[in-house]
């Protein structure tokens, strides 16, 4: 399956700062990537669908101005949490989807964000 | 509306005992179903998937699941669990271009 990396794996920042999380597909050209958020002891919630070369599609209730997504190439999507606050502390996971055969999604290892 | 319900939030079991993690789904269209495992502070790893064909699906680490269309279920089973199976397990439904996750089941294997 496809290999997905995320950077950083964990980050601690002060309230009010912005944090960029990178999601890279190491061996697969992904026209579509997904960003999920997972709060402690909870399930994954889809935040947005990232499309290469076009604007991301956000799920209801997700602030597009706060969570900026840029899918600049077939192997890189970035999520920027702007003006982060403690309630944004979460585990952020990206995935890419294999669309040809199985629609299987391949998961990145996740990024733990802690906002102080 | 499409949804996934995992009926047990926590399942404690002794080592070498069998286990079943239950998952029910709701969908009005054809479905693809997945089971994922998540170890602490890690991403998700695919255990198995049902796309079509045989309703009994075998996955990694000795897990299997059975797709039951009439009962809209996709329960995960393992005949004998190990301590290393302790993790969070998520059932997911792929529909409408998206993955919809269940709430997760915490499997705790005790010696």
């Amino acid at each position: 399956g496809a290999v997905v990396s995320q950077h950083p794996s964990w980050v601690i920042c002060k309230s009010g700062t912005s944090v960029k999380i990178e999601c890279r597909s190491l061996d697969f050209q992904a026209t579509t990537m997904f960003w999920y958020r997972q709060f402690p002891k909870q399930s994954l919630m889809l935040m947005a669908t990232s499309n290469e070369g076009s604007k991301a599609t956000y799920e209801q209730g997700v602030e597009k101005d706060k969570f900026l997504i840029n899918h600049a190439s077939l192997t890189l999507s970035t999520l920027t949490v702007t003006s982060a606050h403690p309630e944004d502390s979460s585990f952020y996971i990206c995935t890419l989807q294999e669309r040809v055969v199985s629609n299987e999604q391949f998961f990145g290892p996740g990024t733990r964000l802690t906002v102080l | 509306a499409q949804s996934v319900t995992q009926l047990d939030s926590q399942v404690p079991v002794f080592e070498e005992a069998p286990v079943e993690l239950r998952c029910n789904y709701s969908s009005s269209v054809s479905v693809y179903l997945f089971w994922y495992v998540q170890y602490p502070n890690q991403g998700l790893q695919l255990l198995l998937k049902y796309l079509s064909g045989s309703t009994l699906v075998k996955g990694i680490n000795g897990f299997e699941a059975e797709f039951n269309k009439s009962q809209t279920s996709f329960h995960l089973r393992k005949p004998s669990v190990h301590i290393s199976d302790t993790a969070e397990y998520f059932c997911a439904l792929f529909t409408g271009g998206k993955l919809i996750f269940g709430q997760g089941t915490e499997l705790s294997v005790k010696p």
Side-chain angles (χ1 to χ4, degrees), chain B:
Chain B
Q2 287 79 14
S3 65
V4 177
T5 302
Q6 291 182 241
L7 299 165
D8 307 291
S9 59
Q10 294 180 319
V11 173
V13 64
F14 288 106
E15 193 174 19
E16 297 184 5
V19 70
E20 178 180 80
L21 306 184
R22 297 180 294 168
C23 172
N24 285 95
Y25 69 91
S26 173
S27 177
S28 58
V29 298
S30 298
V31 299
Y32 299 141
L33 291 159
F34 303 82
W35 274 100
Y36 292 90
V37 60
Q38 184 180 33
Y39 299 101
N41 292 311
Q42 294 186 29
L44 274 65
Q45 179 182 5
L46 179 68
L47 279 177
L48 48 79
K49 60 190 175 189
Y50 171 78
L51 305 179
S52 65
S54 174
T55 57
L56 182 62
V57 180
K58 293 189 182 297
I60 63 171
N61 300 341
F63 284 94
E64 64 180 31
E66 185 158 15
F67 172 66
N68 188 318
K69 187 175 182 179
S70 62
Q71 297 186 4
T72 61
S73 68
F74 190 55
H75 300 334
L76 180 70
R77 302 186 184 98
K78 185 170 183 178
S80 175
V81 294
H82 302 286
I83 297 289
S84 59
D85 292 324
T86 295
E88 190 83 15
Y89 291 79
F90 291 97
C91 180
L93 165 70
F94 180 81
T95 182
K98 303 174 184 178
L99 264 182
I100 300 171
F101 286 89
Q103 302 88 330
T105 297
E106 181 182 350
L107 175 63
S108 176
V109 182
K110 304 178 186 302

Side-chain angles (χ1 to χ4, degrees), chain A residues 2 25-33 71 73-75 96-97:
Chain A
S25 171
L26 301 183
D27 57 356
F28 188 83
Q29 291 189 326
T31 55
T32 302
M33 292 184 177
H71 194 154
S73 75
L74 291 173
T75 59
L96 62 86
Q97 183 168 316

Side-chain angles (χ1 to χ4, degrees), chain A residues 87-100:
Chain A
E87 57 266 29
D88 299 323
S89 298
S90 187
F91 196 50
Y92 292 87
I93 303 173
C94 73
T95 77
L96 62 86
Q97 183 168 316
E98 194 281 319
R99 286 190 177 275
V100 176

